[in-house]
Amino acid sequence: EVQLVESGGDLVQAGGSLRLSCAVSGVTVDDYAIGWFRQAPGKEREGVSCISSSVGSTLYADSVKGRFTISSDNAKNTLYLEMNSLQPEDTGLYFCAADIPYHSSWPLSSFCWGTSYDYRGQGTQVTVSS
C-alpha cells in the first residue's frame, strides 16, 4: 500500500524559509509522478511543484519559481520542498500527491496542473505571517 506522510509545516514570518518533507512508502515501480500541492482557505487547490521520478524533470507554479525547490532522495524515499522568501500568500495546507505509475513520456504538466491523484497525504500546515 502506497503511503505519503508529510512533515515540516510551521508558522513563519514573511521572508522566512521552511523545508517540507514527504516520506514515501509502498511504491514498487520506477516511473511515477509526484509533487507538492496546496490548499488555502477560500482558494482552489493548486499544484506547487512536481517531479518525474525516472527522468527528474520538474515543474513549478509561476508564483513560486525562483523561491521554491523540489528535490527527492531516492535512498531515503523522501520528497522535499525547500521554500524560501515565504510570503503570506503561501499560507495553506501543503500535501504531496502521486500518480503511480506515470510513464516518463507523459507530460508532467497533466499531473501537476490536474485535479485528481492516485495517492495523497494528509498534509502539513504552512502559515506565513506578515
Side-chain angles (χ1 to χ4, degrees):
E1 179 185 1
V2 174
Q3 289 190 328
L4 307 173
V5 180
E6 305 91 337
S7 62
D10 206 347
L11 170 64
V12 63
Q13 289 189 332
S17 299
L18 284 175
R19 188 176 80 158
L20 305 183
S21 299
C22 174
V24 182
S25 61
V27 178
T28 60
V29 298
D30 292 330
D31 281 354
Y32 59 92
I34 191 167
W36 290 96
F37 302 78
R38 66 187 179 189
Q39 178 78 62
K43 294 184 179 180
E44 293 187 357
R45 181 178 52 195
E46 63 173 335
V48 175
S49 182
C50 302
I51 188 168
S52 168
S53 68
S54 56
V55 299
S57 56
T58 58
L59 282 178
Y60 293 92
D62 288 342
S63 59
V64 307
K65 281 181 182 176
R67 300 188 298 123
F68 291 10
T69 303
I70 191 171
S71 63
S72 63
D73 185 332
N74 292 335
K76 295 183 178 180
N77 294 321
T78 303
L79 179 75
Y80 300 101
L81 184 68
E82 188 75 36
M83 306 188 294
N84 298 313
S85 301
L86 284 162
Q87 300 301 315
E89 52 265 35
D90 294 317
T91 293
L93 180 70
Y94 285 69
F95 62 93
C96 60
D99 269 1
I100 304 170
Y102 200 91
H103 199 277
S104 57
S105 67
W106 299 347
L108 188 60
S109 56
S110 296
F111 164 72
C112 208
W113 316 138
T115 58
S116 64
Y117 332 100
D118 293 337
Y119 305 95
R120 62 160 287 178
Q122 293 297 314
T124 186
Q125 180 67 35
V126 172
T127 303
V128 185
S129 63
S130 57

